[in-house]
Every structure is written in C-alpha cells, then in structure tokens.
Amino acid sequence: MIGRLRLFPMVGSGGRRLFLVLLVVAFLIVALIPRQAQVILQSVGKPFANVLAVPFKAMAGLDRGIRDWWNQYLALQGVYEQNIHLQKEIQRLQGEMNQLREKALASDRLADLLNFRQHGQFQTVAARVVGRNASNWYQALILDKGEDDGIRVEMGVITPAGVVGQVIKTSGSMSIALLLTDPNVAVTGLVQRTRDGGIIQGTAKGFLRMKYIPPLSPVQKGDLVVTSGLTGGFPRGLLVGRVVQVEESEDDLFQSAHIDPVVDFSKLEEVLVLLSIQPEDGIETKVKELDSPVHRSGLP
Amino acid sequence: MKVGLYAGLVLLLVPFQATLLHSLSPFGIRPDLCLVAACVVGFWAGHFEGLVVGLLLGFGQDLFSAGELWLNMVTKAGVGFSAGLMAKHLISTTPRAIFVPMVLFSIFSGVVFLVSSRVGMGIQEVLQGFPRILLPQALFDGLVAVCANWLRARWGPQALNL
C-alpha cells in the first residue's frame, strides 16, 4: 500500500485545483512568451538563488576539504615507488635546469617588458569555481562571484593560461559560465601564424573545433589559435589552444581544425572574469559601468 | 516534519548535485538527483506533492545550470506529477517497482534536454547524446531511485510514524 501523507492539509481539493490551473496558465505563458518569461523568472529567482548560495558555498568548501584530504592522505599510496622514480628524475632534470636557467633569465626580462606594456589592459575579477553545471547537459562552471562584483552576462572568463568560456547567467553572488568546449559557445579565433580567422566552437563530444578556416589557408598541426577580438567579451590575442588536426574535404568550402585547448577544463579552481577589455588603439572599452571593487591584472 | 524534509531537500539537493556529486560521477555522468527526488516524492506522496517539490527543485536547478530558466522546472514538475498519477495505478509498490518508471521518466526528460541543448546542430551530434549521456544517466537514475525508494520505505516519515 502506498501511504499518503498530506503536505498541505489546509489546502482543500478546490484549492489544489486552483493551484494546478494557475500553474498550467503559468506554463502556457512561459511557452508562449519565453523571452519575457525568462526575465520574470530571473527576477523571481534572484532571492531564491541567494538563499541557495549559502548551502552551495558551504558544500563547495566541504568538497574542497574532502579533495584536499584525499590528495594529502589517500593519494599518497604508492608514494615510495614514486619517490625512487622521482629521485632519478631529479638527477636528470638538474642537468637540464642549468641550461634552462640561462634561458629563463632572458625570458624573465622579456616577460617584464611585455608585462609593462600590457599592465592594466584588462579589468578582471577573480572568482572561485564552486561547482559544475547542475545537470549533465551543459558544460558549465558555477562561480562564487556575481552581479554584486560587477559580473554580467556575456563577459569572458579566462585563466592566465588562456580562454575558459563565457558568463551566461548571473545572480547577486554567483554566476554560471559556459565552457568553451560546450557546443553552445562560439568565439571568433585566429590562427596566430597564418592570421586566418574562423569560429571556435565546442563539439557534442566535448572537444574544441575551429570552423570556417579559408580553404587556401596553410594552417597546420601545431599552430597556435588565439581570440580575434571580433566577438564581445574577449580581446584579441588570448590563447585558446593548439591545432592537432586539420580537416579538409573536397565537398567543404572551408577547412576545419581540431584544437587541443591550453586550459585543462576538468581542473579549474580559480578563474578571472573580464570586466572590461581594451582595444589595441589604447582607448578603453568598458563592457559595463562598474562600481564594485575589482583588481587589475596584466594577463597576456 | 514533512515540510521541513521537503525544504531540506530543495535547499540541499541542488548544491549537492553541483558540488559534491561532481567528484562521485563515474565516466563523467551524474544521476539527476532532482529528477529522482521529484519522482520518488510523487510516487509515494501523490501527484500534487510531486508537482510542488518537482517545481521547486527544478527551479533551483535552473538557477544553477546553463539552460533555459524554465526547462528543469517544467520537466521536474511534470515528472513528479506523472509519477504520482502512475503510482495510483500500480499494483506493486516495492522499492524495485520504481526502476522502470524512473528510467522512462529520465529518458523523456533527457530527450527534452538533448533537443534543447543541441539546437541548430546536426542530427549526428544530437544522436551522439543518446549513448554518451542520456541512456547511462537513465540507468543511473533508475538505480538511485530504487535506493532512495528503499531508504524511504525503511527510514521515511511513515515508517518512523512521524
């Protein structure tokens, strides 16, 4: 027998019918005017999202703690064999290190120059990744910063390594960023060596692909792909990845390339959200007028 | 007691789904706990409660996922409601009896999400979602629902006379 415990004993069958009718009407409104309904739901959902943010951040802290504990203790099994292997590796690397030190000194000087030139180019806010999309159907990150920190929809999300994705939803204290590997995100890109443009988009399998590369482009395996700055949210020149395979068929008008992203999307813990970008002519373009505290960084 | 249980479910399940469950997902596939919860509540407490709990869980999930803001809400509410109606006509209501309905609901919900998340893509890309996400998740949801149903029968408010 199925036991029936009534949740709302004060609500009679008439009240329930009325509720169901109102609900059906609400669903019809959502179906008929999805855009307007989206705006209404967004404003209704903000307080709810703020309430949910409290257990969310607590669980994210717990998740982080468990992962740290796992890494520190349980993952140390087999560390003895690893230690012997690493000692041999250290001897080999010490030789290489001497050679690299010289190169590093030169590189540091160049990096300082580059940093000096680019310092303050992008206005960013650092956010911690507190969760992943709440369903399997999208590849997205949940960030612990939201509108209160100046984050708005369509802003770009990066790490010092390269492009991560784009903000698609915000609430007061949290936001959702769709990863570049999701098929619903498209960013205009450029093959750095050949300067040929194309559209970088995720695939259903979770890989990254650059489409619409001109048919005569000499793009080849190993070429770096950067953002072209033509779409909102990202300035020109942010690293996306490296070409691993070029596809060219006689039936297609364009070439396409598989890209190995520079960012490891499965291990992201902190990201930077681009609040404003500066075009190459030096005139700063504010994406949004912001009055929240942010920090400036000089990312490549 | 029951209102508190449902409130706890709504407040904790979505954050759990998005944070801790991520570390426990074999092959990158996670069960949709909100869908399972809506189905189990509908199955045991009736279509009205299934609908209300599904509605709230779905809305919470919508706020923390990348899709449209109403999709989870409508799907979960529909599943909770349908599970309640279905349970009225089932002869056997053992914990295992929920497996087949749960798998069917999960496939239905999965098709809705698959189509909505692959708008403008080729049929090949849409079909890839079946073996990669939809079917494994449906089986996973079915197994979790059986466990949840068993726990509910063993430790739920009615079993404890609350």
Side-chain angles (χ1 to χ4, degrees):
Chain A
M1 282 291 292
I2 301 174
R4 304 274 179 204
L5 290 175
R6 293 184 67 183
L7 174 60
F8 306 109
M10 72 298 286
V11 183
S13 62
R16 288 180 183 209
R17 277 199 199 106
L18 182 67
F19 178 78
L20 288 176
V21 169
L22 288 175
L23 208 61
V24 170
V25 172
F27 284 167
L28 282 176
I29 291 171
V30 166
L32 291 172
I33 45 169
R35 279 193 190 280
Q36 291 87 335
Q38 196 87 354
V39 175
I40 296 166
L41 286 172
Q42 186 96 41
S43 52
V44 171
K46 267 177 192 165
F48 189 36
N50 288 338
V51 172
L52 278 178
V54 178
F56 217 108
K57 286 178 180 172
M59 279 199 199
L62 184 65
D63 183 37
R64 196 175 290 267
I66 290 171
R67 247 184 297 141
D68 289 349
W69 176 75
W70 175 266
N71 289 338
Q72 283 172 15
Y73 294 98
L74 295 183
L76 288 178
Q77 286 179 354
V79 75
Y80 177 71
E81 291 84 358
Q82 197 182 21
N83 205 10
I84 292 171
H85 173 74
L86 286 174
Q87 278 177 349
K88 288 179 184 169
E89 191 73 6
I90 285 170
Q91 287 172 354
R92 188 180 67 79
L93 289 172
Q94 273 175 338
E96 282 184 15
M97 194 177 70
N98 285 328
Q99 294 171 4
L100 290 172
R101 191 173 284 142
E102 282 302 310
K103 288 182 182 174
L105 288 170
S107 174
D108 281 348
R109 287 194 302 273
L110 292 170
D112 285 343
L113 282 174
L114 194 66
N115 196 32
F116 177 74
R117 188 173 70 83
Q118 292 187 332
H119 182 71
Q121 188 174 7
F122 312 130
Q123 197 176 12
T124 62
V125 62
R128 183 171 282 204
V129 178
V130 290
R132 301 274 163 168
N133 195 60
S135 72
N136 291 314
W137 296 104
Y138 295 92
Q139 294 173 52
L141 302 174
I142 301 171
L143 309 178
D144 72 340
K145 298 277 171 67
E147 286 178 0
D148 298 344
D149 306 280
I151 296 176
R152 300 286 184 274
V153 171
E154 291 188 8
M155 284 179 171
V157 181
I158 59 172
T159 66
V163 178
V164 171
Q166 206 162 27
V167 175
I168 54 146
K169 264 185 201 172
T170 54
S171 65
S173 60
M174 297 181 98
S175 52
I176 318 282
L178 212 50
L179 293 177
L180 206 56
T181 46
D182 189 283
N184 294 291
V185 172
V187 174
T188 53
L190 211 58
V191 179
Q192 199 173 46
R193 184 177 61 84
T194 66
R195 314 310 289 172
D196 289 310
I199 306 273
I200 302 162
Q201 198 171 14
T203 67
K205 287 183 177 173
F207 300 124
L208 211 53
R209 199 171 181 194
M210 187 169 180
K211 299 193 286 192
Y212 309 118
I213 304 171
L216 298 176
S217 166
V219 58
Q220 62 188 39
K221 188 179 169 185
D223 280 344
L224 292 175
V225 175
V226 296
T227 53
S228 70
L230 295 176
T231 42
F234 297 104
R236 179 187 283 254
L238 289 177
L239 192 57
V240 175
R242 194 179 286 275
V243 173
V244 286
Q245 190 189 347
V246 181
E247 280 181 0
E248 189 182 9
S249 76
E250 289 179 3
D251 301 335
D252 294 334
L253 289 173
F254 297 95
Q255 297 184 81
S256 64
H258 288 275
I259 298 169
D260 182 24
V262 286
V263 175
D264 185 351
F265 296 105
S266 64
K267 290 177 182 165
L268 286 170
E269 292 193 27
E270 286 92 19
V271 293
L272 295 170
V273 182
L274 288 163
L275 300 180
S276 76
I277 53 175
Q278 189 179 28
E280 287 180 343
D281 60 6
I283 301 167
E284 191 175 51
T285 307
K286 281 268 185 188
V287 176
K288 296 280 175 190
E289 282 301 318
L290 305 165
D291 50 5
S292 60
V294 292
H295 76 270
R296 300 177 80 83
S297 74
L299 292 167
Chain B
M1 169 68 190
K2 212 175 178 191
V3 174
L5 190 74
Y6 287 160
L9 208 62
V10 170
L11 285 175
L12 299 178
L13 212 54
V14 175
F16 181 75
Q17 170 96 25
T19 55
L20 292 163
L21 198 64
H22 178 67
S23 316
L24 306 170
S25 53
F27 312 111
I29 300 293
R30 290 168 290 171
D32 190 341
L33 294 183
C34 296
L35 189 78
V36 173
C39 185
V40 170
V41 170
F43 201 73
W44 281 100
H47 59 277
F48 186 71
E49 291 181 27
L51 183 136
V52 173
V53 172
L55 198 74
L56 291 171
L57 281 171
F59 191 42
Q61 208 174 2
D62 274 331
L63 292 170
F64 293 101
S65 45
E68 299 282 334
L69 254 181
W70 52 271
L71 210 55
N72 274 299
M73 189 170 66
V74 173
T75 318
K76 264 77 184 180
V79 165
F81 187 79
S82 309
L85 291 182
M86 186 180 270
K88 275 185 182 174
H89 303 289
L90 283 179
I91 298 165
S92 165
T93 53
T94 57
R96 279 176 298 169
I98 203 171
F99 181 78
V100 173
M102 185 69 250
V103 170
L104 292 176
F105 285 135
S106 183
I107 289 174
F108 160 74
S109 153
V111 169
V112 172
F113 280 95
L114 185 60
V115 171
S116 70
S117 66
R118 305 282 192 271
V119 174
M121 288 173 215
I123 188 77
Q124 203 68 26
E125 283 185 306
V126 174
L127 290 177
Q128 279 172 0
F130 274 87
R132 276 192 63 245
I133 304 174
L134 197 148
L135 295 176
Q137 189 195 306
L139 291 174
F140 214 160
D141 287 348
L143 290 174
V144 174
V146 171
C147 294
N149 215 10
W150 180 80
L151 285 172
R152 197 265 169 220
R154 187 92 175 79
W155 301 104
Q158 201 188 23
L160 299 174
N161 290 323
L162 294 171

